[in-house]
Amino acid sequence: MTDEPRHGSGEARPDPDPPGAARPADGPPGGDDSGTPHDGSHHDRSHHDRGRHDRGRHGGTRHDAAHDDAPGAAASRLTGRAAVAERRLSAALAEVTLDGGQVVMVKRGDAPGAVRAEAAGLAWLAEARAVRVPAVRGHDAHRLVIDRVAEGRPDTRAALRFGRDLAALHAAGAPAFGAPPPGGPEEAYIGRAPMRNVPGDDWPSWYAAHRVLPYLRRAVDEGVLRPAEAAEIEGVLERLPDLAGPAEPPARLHGDLWNGNVLWGADGRVWLIDPAAHGGHRETDLAMLRLFGCPHLDRVLAGYQEAAPLADGWRDRIGLHQLFPLLVHAVLFGRGYAEQALAAARGAPA
């Protein structure tokens, strides 16, 4: 989630005492020890590429020589093309130029299934032919090679189109709530936190059981959230069937749609990176996009509403959908996010 640099610019660092309100548009806290300067490439700022591929997010140990090869060698091995230059952006992320001039990003992931989950997620999102995602050029158990996206600047026209494209992505659907992308593992990740993709037919019960309660319990176990506070959140979960709004089919979610994973391309289109893709409720993606801010968010929402109007009362449900990312942040970064999760629960409709 928020512990990693984008594929390109400098890293944010964990904020031990975040404010209770939504964070500014430049993204949530996070980061590791390998800061990289902004170079206009999406691969320096991605929180997922930072934490997911630099350190703790994937934990684990190295298993083979291929895992330890240099980024250029890995790119050559996985694409079948010679690498002519490489530039390391962090301990686990590098920009590699291939013979012929194509530039790719080479990312390392250590935990079992981490690279497989991301590659499958990118392919699943691309299959919808809606929001653009970088193409996967090759991967193995520990390395992922994807196209580099040249970044431009946010603008209102791109924001409006992004909203429409995001609606189309969601409408592409999923087999069930919690369904992983085809070929993706059940045991996936969001940021450095494990995330289980367990299918379910009913969104309120599935969301409570597999997206909120695992992190709520961990927050209590680690002393980040008091038992009495957790009981307040559990009380809201018990009322979810009445609070969730009209039933909707499973949407094809990016799954970790914070501003750091939204790239404003030099081509005038928005690109998405670092998915934690699964089947879910479309309002969850939108709630996370709002949680940490996004340039021209009003135009993004206008484009979305134009293409696929949200059900009445969606604004009142934003806090419910933010419980999941806030509790993930609580277990990764501490008490400040636990307080935000509690505030979101207390703000649920009576």
Side-chain angles (χ1 to χ4, degrees):
M1 317 214 46
T2 60
D3 62 314
E4 307 153 28
R6 285 181 24 142
H7 295 95
S9 69
E11 302 176 10
R13 289 193 167 274
D15 183 348
D17 187 23
R23 300 190 61 83
D26 59 351
D32 59 7
D33 299 326
S34 56
T36 53
H38 175 60
D39 68 345
S41 151
H42 66 291
H43 301 275
D44 293 331
R45 292 198 302 275
S46 160
H47 69 277
H48 272 298
D49 298 339
R50 221 167 2 217
R52 182 185 303 183
H53 299 285
D54 284 4
R55 57 178 175 88
R57 158 161 158 72
H58 292 335
T61 57
R62 298 181 178 184
H63 304 290
D64 52 46
H67 184 195
D68 294 326
D69 58 3
S76 294
R77 174 169 52 82
L78 293 170
T79 66
R81 296 170 59 186
V84 298
E86 71 175 57
R87 184 168 70 98
R88 293 186 184 248
L89 302 175
S90 71
L93 184 68
E95 181 181 283
V96 173
T97 303
L98 301 174
D99 185 27
Q102 181 183 8
V103 182
V104 295
M105 305 309 299
V106 181
K107 303 165 60 178
R108 191 188 75 230
D110 294 343
V115 171
R116 177 183 161 202
E118 183 167 355
L122 287 169
W124 194 44
L125 299 186
E127 182 186 84
R129 299 184 179 276
V131 181
R132 293 191 174 186
V133 298
V136 176
R137 298 302 177 183
H139 67 92
D140 60 15
H142 300 294
R143 296 280 192 173
L144 175 69
V145 180
I146 62 176
D147 285 348
R148 178 189 183 275
V149 176
E151 286 192 75
R153 294 183 177 276
D155 65 63
T156 56
R157 181 178 298 180
L160 191 67
R161 183 167 187 172
F162 172 42
R164 296 173 185 145
D165 290 347
L166 184 60
L169 173 66
H170 290 164
F177 297 109
E186 178 180 298
E187 301 296 335
Y189 301 88
I190 181 166
R192 286 186 287 122
M195 183 186 79
R196 297 192 69 210
N197 285 323
V198 180
D201 297 325
D202 173 67
W203 182 80
S205 60
W206 168 82
Y207 181 70
H210 299 293
R211 287 298 179 266
V212 179
L213 286 174
Y215 306 100
L216 182 65
R217 290 163 181 157
R218 181 173 163 185
V220 172
D221 290 344
E222 296 180 2
V224 175
L225 200 62
R226 302 179 185 94
E229 294 171 333
E232 290 189 61
I233 296 176
E234 289 173 338
V236 172
L237 296 181
E238 291 173 359
R239 296 194 293 122
L240 265 185
D242 297 324
L243 299 176
E248 295 197 359
R252 187 170 306 193
L253 298 191
H254 175 279
D256 193 5
L257 196 60
W258 76 284
N259 180 54
N261 288 339
V262 176
L263 305 181
W264 301 83
D267 60 357
R269 298 286 296 273
V270 167
W271 296 67
L272 299 183
I273 58 171
D274 303 336
H278 61 278
H281 197 299
R282 60 188 181 135
E283 290 178 15
T284 304
D285 259 359
L286 295 174
M288 187 155 186
L289 196 61
R290 177 179 289 274
L291 181 60
F292 298 113
C294 176
H296 307 299
L297 182 57
D298 59 334
R299 303 309 298 155
V300 175
L301 293 173
Y304 194 103
Q305 291 275 48
E306 182 181 294
L310 295 163
D312 290 345
W314 68 272
R315 293 182 186 277
D316 296 331
R317 295 188 290 271
I318 291 172
L320 299 176
H321 290 272
Q322 290 177 343
L323 284 174
F324 168 45
L326 285 171
L327 287 168
V328 172
H329 278 70
V331 301
L332 293 177
F333 301 117
R335 176 66 186 175
Y337 289 105
E339 291 174 349
Q340 289 191 62
L342 187 60
R346 287 172 174 168

